Amino acid sequence: MLESAKQTLANQFEALAGKILDEKSKSFSEGSQKELGTLLTPLKTQIEDFRKKVEEAQSDSKTGVARLEGLIGNLGSLNLHWPKKQRT
């Protein structure tokens, strides 16, 4: 009977320890995720801002290249139509 009581207590202790461990693990995981989110949110915002600036710079660059191509084309046309005597 004593042996049976010991085994029952051991089983109950093991179950209780497992339950406590599960609860602590869950609590730690939730806390860690919350802290990680707090740390990563500003980084995410900065990365999004950087991406927008890069996209704007690429757009501005494409616009600038298109304008330069147009101006070079106009200069080429002017040069073709300019009298040969004045080109020297």
Side-chain angles (χ1 to χ4, degrees):
M1 190 161 136
L2 183 60
E3 207 46 53
S4 175
K6 272 174 107 178
Q7 186 62 40
T8 302
L9 284 175
N11 290 342
Q12 287 176 348
F13 179 77
E14 186 178 335
L16 183 59
K19 182 179 177 183
I20 291 171
L21 181 62
D22 287 343
E23 289 174 359
K24 292 295 180 183
S25 294
K26 182 179 178 183
S27 175
F28 178 75
S29 177
E30 289 172 354
S32 295
Q33 286 179 350
K34 186 176 181 181
E35 288 178 19
L36 189 59
T38 302
L39 291 172
L40 292 180
T41 297
L43 180 61
K44 179 182 176 185
T45 302
Q46 289 177 352
I47 290 172
E48 287 173 355
D49 290 344
F50 179 73
R51 181 186 53 81
K52 287 177 186 175
K53 288 178 182 178
V54 168
E55 288 174 354
E56 288 173 7
Q58 286 177 335
S59 177
D60 291 346
S61 177
K62 288 178 184 178
T63 301
V65 168
R67 288 182 63 201
L68 282 174
E69 288 173 344
L71 290 172
I72 291 170
N74 288 341
L75 285 173
S77 293
L78 287 174
N79 193 30
L80 288 175
H81 294 94
W82 196 262
K84 289 187 179 186
K85 293 178 188 176
Q86 293 180 357
R87 276 196 234 169
T88 58

